């Protein structure tokens, strides 16, 4: 691959007369699993040349239209995931290292997803061995007995390994419940926070940020409460009205600013699309100065409902932080749903009119895409004893990004399809920046068959003339000519800056890219949130 990258850079410098732009790198996952996130190396480049007749589908890339930066993809390091990975590290260290590199290595051209977001429950969740918080001392409103070591040590061990692999790692911490003694029912399972303790509770979060720092892990963001509208008495949950979350967030913002953490984000909502027009909007109305943004889950509503929040507060950040399928569902059908709702989008010309239909959380202004558990066993365990979550003890079980078997072998779940999207936005150069979503539309008679996301990744070499990388993430879901299973490849043309290339997309997901000179871009239709620095001053654990 190193030789391929050098060749790519060389052809970019000499700008061959026969083709101004060339596609050299293609990554692919095919419906029948003949390719699973496979790097394909064309023997000759796919050239952009003079425009001609369009293909059955015609992808038009508009890099004059720019949207939000996409800072990465990832999943949750629950206690259960940490246990699975820690056991693998002890029993099968070589396979463990290979797995971690495949998940988290962001090196350009690596056979890796380069996942750069990790969400960590603080205290117990439905994927813990027991119920606990980080301060179980009854009545300790000053949190003098707060103990970061209540969190299983393997969580920090695995986080350290991830951080050593990925310099861009962003860690979001979030409780599933406050300590039991702070709640009206005296239990972590269900109930609500005692309202009079709202401002004191902010100290708990400050100490958590400090505790993670003491373990060598810098916290990127603090989410006040996982699923504040979900109450379940079989595992840690907490009903939290908007005004209570607003109070906690306001006090926490002050504490973080006053204690050396002004860059740590305060994030709210962290629940389903279905209430996007209400809870998160009201939260910003009550405490917008305290909150950097909000987070969404996939379990109720539709992805387009994110727009209700973005329209009301276009300068606030959106993160997509949780989704999980279950074991036993159809692999290809689920791939299509995830790509459609979370990673890509489409522009539909209908009856000669342009109707803008953005599909996927990223295409509805999210900066991230995250799944639920990173790793579990083949039945979706271990879980908290007695929980009804994910089907309880008899259900199919929630599906992780990767199943780790007892012998150290792996089963990549379909959720790893996010690697296709991640590869399209990862930094080209060490230190960033990440990709920026740009305009794209699809025409032609088979325009409906392709879902397309387009991104530009700028350079960080110090040379203002260095060519930028342009990426497409394409889902071809033309798998039925009528009602019979009949996967159909789609020959498509790709239009870019007055030139045209041709590529036939198999049924599956394809990521490809090319390089082109920098250009001044104009912003259309969207409010752009300023890009963050991509190189964080993390302390590396030894």
């Amino acid at each position: 691959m190193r030789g391929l990258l050098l060749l790519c850079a060389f052809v970019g410098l000499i700008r061959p007369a026969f083709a101004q732009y060339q596609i050299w790198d293609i990554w692919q996952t095919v419906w029948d699993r003949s390719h699973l996130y496979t790097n394909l190396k064309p023997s000759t480049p796919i050239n952009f040349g003079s425009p001609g007749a369009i293909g059955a589908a015609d992808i038009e890339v508009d890099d004059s239209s720019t949207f939000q930066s996409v800072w990465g993809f990832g999943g949750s390091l629950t206690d259960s995931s940490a246990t699975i990975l820690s056991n693998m590290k002890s029993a099968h260290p070589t396979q463990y290292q290979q797995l971690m590199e495949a998940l988290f290595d962001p090196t350009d051209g690596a056979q890796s997803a380069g996942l750069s977001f990790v969400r960590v429950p603080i205290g117990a969740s439905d994927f813990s061995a027991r119920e606990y918080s980080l301060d179980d001392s009854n009545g300790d409103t000053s949190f003098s007995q707060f103990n970061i070591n209540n969190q299983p040590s393997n969580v920090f061990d695995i986080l350290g390994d991830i951080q050593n692999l990925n310099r861009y790692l962003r860690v979001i911490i979030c409780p599933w419940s406050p300590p039991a003694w702070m709640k009206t029912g005296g239990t972590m399972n269900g109930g609500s926070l005692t309202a009079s303790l709202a401002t004191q509770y902010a100290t708990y979060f400050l100490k958590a940020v400090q505790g993670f720092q003491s373990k060598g892990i810098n916290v990127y963001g603090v989410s006040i409460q996982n699923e504040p509208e979900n109450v379940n008495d079989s595992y840690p949950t907490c009903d939290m009205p908007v005004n209570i979350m607003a109070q906690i967030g306001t006090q926490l913002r002050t504490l973080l600013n006053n204690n050396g953490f002004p860059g740590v984000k305060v994030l709210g909502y962290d629940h389903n699309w279905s209430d996007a027009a209400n809870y998160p909007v009201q939260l910003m109305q009550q405490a917008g100065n305290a909150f950097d943004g909000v987070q969404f889950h996939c379990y109720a509503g539709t992805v387009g409902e994110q727009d209700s929040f973005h329209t009301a507060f276009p300068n606030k950040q959106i993160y997509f932080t949780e989704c999980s399928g279950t074991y036993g569902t159809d692999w290809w059908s689920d791939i299509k749903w995830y790509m459609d709702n979370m990673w890509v989008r489409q522009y539909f010309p209908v009856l000669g009119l342009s109707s803008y239909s953005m599909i996927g959380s990223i295409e509805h202004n999210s900066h991230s895409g995250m799944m639920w558990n990173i790793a579990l066993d083949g039945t979706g365990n271990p879980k908290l004893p007695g929980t009804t979550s994910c089907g309880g003890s008899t259900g199919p079980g929630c599906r992780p990004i990767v199943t780790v078997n007892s012998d150290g072998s792996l089963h990549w779940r379909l959720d790893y399809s996010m690697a296709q999207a991640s590869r399209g936005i990862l930094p080209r150069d060490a230190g960033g920046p990440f990709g920026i979503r740009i305009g794209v539309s699809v025409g032609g008679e088979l325009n409906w068959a392709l879902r397309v996301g387009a991104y530009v990744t700028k350079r960080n070499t110090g040379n203002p003339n260095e060519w930028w990388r342009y990426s497409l993430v394409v889902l071809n879901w033309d798998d039925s000519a009528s009602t019979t299973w009949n996967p159909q490849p789609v020959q498509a043309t790709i239009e870019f800056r007055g030139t045209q290339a041709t590529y036939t997309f198999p049924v599956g997901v394809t990521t490809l890219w090319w390089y082109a000179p920098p250009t001044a871009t104009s912003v259309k239709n969207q409010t752009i949130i300023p890009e963050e620095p991509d190189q964080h001053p993390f302390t590396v654990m030894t």
Side-chain angles (χ1 to χ4, degrees), residues 194-218:
T194 301
S196 61
L197 297 178
T199 54
Q200 288 97 321
Y201 188 32
T203 302
Y204 181 88
F205 290 103
L206 172 64
K207 287 184 172 289
V209 171
Q210 293 170 328
F212 271 68
Q213 185 185 55
S214 74
K215 299 292 186 179
I217 307 297
N218 283 18

Side-chain angles (χ1 to χ4, degrees), residues 48-129:
F48 283 82
S50 299
I54 68 170
D58 187 50
I59 301 169
E60 296 188 28
V61 179
D62 177 12
D63 64 330
S64 71
S65 182
T66 60
F67 302 86
Q68 86 278 15
S69 294
V70 183
W71 297 322
F73 298 83
S76 290
L77 185 68
T78 60
D79 292 355
S80 295
S81 290
T83 296
I84 291 286
L85 293 171
S86 183
N87 290 344
M88 184 185 189
K89 183 178 180 179
S90 297
H92 308 283
T94 300
Q95 292 94 319
Y96 169 79
Q97 185 61 30
Q98 292 170 346
L99 168 61
M100 298 300 278
E101 290 175 358
L103 287 170
F104 299 107
D105 182 2
T107 303
D108 186 64
Q111 184 65 43
S112 165
L115 303 181
S116 54
F117 270 94
V118 173
R119 184 166 170 250
V120 183
I122 51 173
S125 73
D126 43 333
F127 283 84
S128 296

Side-chain angles (χ1 to χ4, degrees), residues 394-405:
T394 59
C398 279
R399 189 177 56 222
I401 295 173
V402 60
T403 291
V404 179
N405 301 312

Side-chain angles (χ1 to χ4, degrees), residues 119 174 176 223-232 235 237-241 245 267-280 283 293-303 305-306 309 318-323 361:
R119 184 166 170 250
C174 179
W176 266 233
S223 175
I224 301 300
Q225 174 60 46
N226 176 68
E227 299 184 348
E229 297 178 301
N230 175 33
V231 177
N232 188 306
Y235 69 96
T237 54
C238 180
D239 174 66
M240 184 171 286
M245 185 175 286
L267 304 171
Y269 188 51
D270 218 351
H271 209 167
N272 290 324
W273 291 320
S274 56
D275 204 25
N278 297 301
Y279 193 115
L283 184 63
V294 299
Q295 303 158 107
F296 289 100
H297 297 183
C298 75
Y299 305 115
T302 59
V303 65
E305 291 174 269
Q306 284 183 186
F309 176 80
I318 292 174
Y319 298 84
F320 185 85
T321 50
E322 187 180 318
C323 193
S361 184

Side-chain angles (χ1 to χ4, degrees), residues 228-285:
E229 297 178 301
N230 175 33
V231 177
N232 188 306
D233 62 6
S234 75
Y235 69 96
T237 54
C238 180
D239 174 66
M240 184 171 286
V242 175
N243 67 308
I244 298 298
M245 185 175 286
Q247 291 178 50
I248 298 168
T250 299
Q251 180 65 13
L252 177 58
R253 180 73 274 161
T254 298
L255 289 175
L256 291 170
N257 291 347
N258 292 343
N259 286 274
F261 300 101
V264 173
K265 296 181 182 298
V266 178
L267 304 171
Y269 188 51
D270 218 351
H271 209 167
N272 290 324
W273 291 320
S274 56
D275 204 25
N278 297 301
Y279 193 115
V281 170
Q282 294 167 23
L283 184 63
M284 295 304 111
Q285 291 170 340

Side-chain angles (χ1 to χ4, degrees), residues 338-366:
Y338 281 122
M339 296 300 297
D340 189 27
N341 285 273
M342 295 169 66
W343 318 137
V344 299
R345 69 159 243 224
Q346 168 82 345
Y347 184 89
F348 283 90
V350 179
L351 300 177
L353 301 176
S354 296
S355 110
Y356 199 45
S357 177
M358 294 190 298
I359 302 174
S361 184
I362 297 300
E363 299 304 326
H364 289 272
N365 301 290
S366 177

